[in-house]
Amino acid sequence: MQFDHIDLRVRNLAAARPFFDALLPAMGLSHINADSESAGYHAPGETGAEPFLWVVEDPQHRPGESRIAFAAPTRDEVDRLSEIARKANAGAFEAPALIEEYGPKYYASFFEDADGNKFEICCRR
């Protein structure tokens, strides 16, 4: 199964953009369509059928316990992407590690954006 899109809320778009502008293009979502209230991150040359992530400003937003996990094809890619997130000031950053309670090959990094929205980059290989 593949996701169609993610509609993510943040309290302050201007404060959130540096994090997403660093991480999402590194994941292949390098076409950014933005205005003062939202930013969409798409693959270059999109046809409208590809998955995308849309970040929308909502001053009333309060993060929950949900977490968005992005799949990486290799552990090296988990390392690379998590380092980009760390350098983009990810909060509650947990360096990549083998998480055996999730599975014998589950390798992941966990972190949050400026609003406390939770993210993960993982590889099951």
Side-chain angles (χ1 to χ4, degrees):
M1 176 183 283
Q2 181 178 19
F3 74 88
D4 184 82
H5 69 279
I6 296 171
D7 183 353
L8 183 69
R9 305 299 164 146
V10 296
R11 287 186 295 262
N12 182 313
L13 184 63
R17 287 279 313 266
F19 173 79
F20 291 106
D21 286 358
L23 181 61
L24 296 178
M27 299 173 83
L29 300 176
S30 59
H31 176 76
I32 303 171
N33 177 20
D35 59 28
S36 64
E37 297 176 353
S38 63
Y41 298 84
H42 311 263
E46 69 164 29
T47 65
E50 293 82 7
F52 64 91
L53 193 143
W54 201 260
V55 180
V56 180
E57 185 169 89
D58 176 358
Q60 303 306 311
H61 171 70
R62 300 291 177 260
E65 292 301 313
S66 298
R67 179 173 51 218
I68 296 172
F70 296 104
T74 65
R75 290 181 182 190
D76 286 343
E77 187 69 351
V78 172
D79 293 344
R80 183 182 81 83
L81 293 170
S82 67
E83 181 62 11
I84 290 169
R86 187 190 66 76
K87 287 181 177 177
N89 296 319
F93 182 81
E94 295 180 32
L98 186 61
I99 315 295
E100 291 182 338
E101 63 260 29
Y102 289 8
K105 298 178 183 178
Y106 201 95
Y107 186 77
S109 175
F110 302 89
F111 49 88
E112 297 176 359
D113 69 8
D115 280 304
N117 293 308
K118 297 172 184 354
F119 296 92
E120 169 185 349
I121 300 172
C122 64
C123 177
R124 296 175 183 265
R125 296 179 181 91

